[in-house]
Amino acid sequence: MTTARIASLGQEYPIGKILCIGRNYAEHIKELGNETPEAPVIFMKPATSVIGDGGAIVIPSYSKDCHHEAELAALIGTKGKNIPAERALEHVAGYGVAIDLTLRDVQAELKKKGLPWDIAKGFDTACPLSSFTPAAQVSDPQDLRIHLTVNGQTRQDGSTSLMIHTVRDIICYMSGIFTLEPGDVILTGTPAGVSAIVPGDELVAEIPGVARLRASVK
């Protein structure tokens, strides 16, 4: 069973829903030529898409354009439905870093046809995920740096302060649709700088003071 781990506390949660926000940073919206949505754009990944630190990314044969998207991940520790924004962070058990892998060519074709993105976002190994730091040790999730390198070269370097929808607002919004349960993971969107990865690449995603994650592309 795939689990999310708060390393310093020795706690493990079976991963439930992986709920993701798309188009949550203005510069990322611009770089992909998308429109700014009025409400958060939500999609999901299965727990089977998760690999841990040091894991291997396998790009499916049906894609020739896989992109990295480094993100702040929030682990839900307390069940909630219709959670008010002012209480939202009380439901977070920990914070980590994730890489939302996207088959950009497959996604583009699906979007043209008005179809769901599942096979572009949910394939096996599509969600490299770090262990989590206790939420109490993160004073402000809207004041964190997100940094990603590929083969030692910086590709993404942004701040959670640039989110269109804050972590509080995301949890509030999502809990109005889905009951959030312990073990659910929320990916909060990616800053600008996404680009393609290929076999042989080495990725390092880091939120300083929170989490670090390494992954290689097979």
Side-chain angles (χ1 to χ4, degrees), residues 4 17 90 96-97 135 141 159 161 170 190 198 201:
K17 302 181 288 295
E90 297 173 17
V97 65
S159 171
S161 65
I170 291 169
T190 193
V198 297
D201 282 346

Side-chain angles (χ1 to χ4, degrees), residues 23-99:
R23 305 181 191 176
N24 200 28
Y25 288 78
E27 291 303 313
H28 175 57
I29 293 171
K30 288 180 183 178
E31 73 181 348
L32 295 184
N34 292 321
E35 295 182 2
T36 301
E38 293 183 7
V41 174
I42 300 174
F43 59 94
M44 299 176 70
K45 290 176 179 274
T48 49
S49 68
V50 172
I51 57 173
D53 182 40
I57 296 164
V58 180
I59 300 172
S61 59
Y62 55 84
S63 174
K64 303 299 181 186
D65 191 21
C66 181
H67 283 204
H68 59 75
E69 302 184 13
E71 314 201 2
L72 171 68
L75 173 65
I76 297 299
T78 305
K79 184 175 180 178
K81 175 70 175 176
N82 295 319
I83 301 167
E86 62 270 17
R87 304 295 300 272
L89 298 187
E90 297 173 17
H91 291 260
V92 178
Y95 294 99
V97 65
I99 304 174

Side-chain angles (χ1 to χ4, degrees), residues 32-178:
L32 295 184
N34 292 321
E35 295 182 2
T36 301
E38 293 183 7
V41 174
I42 300 174
F43 59 94
M44 299 176 70
K45 290 176 179 274
T48 49
S49 68
V50 172
I51 57 173
D53 182 40
I57 296 164
V58 180
I59 300 172
S61 59
Y62 55 84
S63 174
K64 303 299 181 186
D65 191 21
C66 181
H67 283 204
H68 59 75
E69 302 184 13
E71 314 201 2
L72 171 68
L75 173 65
I76 297 299
T78 305
K79 184 175 180 178
K81 175 70 175 176
N82 295 319
I83 301 167
E86 62 270 17
R87 304 295 300 272
L89 298 187
E90 297 173 17
H91 291 260
V92 178
Y95 294 99
V97 65
I99 304 174
D100 168 17
L101 295 174
T102 304
L103 306 179
R104 196 69 71 197
D105 51 351
V106 175
Q107 184 189 42
E109 286 301 311
L110 293 168
K111 287 166 67 176
K112 282 182 187 177
K113 298 173 183 178
L115 297 174
W117 303 348
D118 298 53
I119 63 173
K121 290 280 195 178
F123 59 94
D124 289 352
T125 77
C127 188
L129 183 66
S130 73
S131 60
F132 289 80
T133 290
Q137 296 179 20
V138 178
S139 59
D140 184 359
Q142 302 309 139
D143 187 26
L144 299 172
R145 179 187 176 205
I146 301 175
H147 186 256
L148 181 137
T149 63
V150 177
N151 303 324
Q153 301 296 313
T154 296
R155 295 273 187 93
Q156 292 184 268
D157 193 0
S159 171
T160 58
S161 65
L162 300 175
M163 285 183 184
I164 295 171
H165 305 286
T166 66
V167 177
R168 289 178 187 272
D169 291 340
I170 291 169
I171 291 172
C172 174
Y173 183 80
M174 283 186 170
S175 72
I177 302 166
F178 312 99

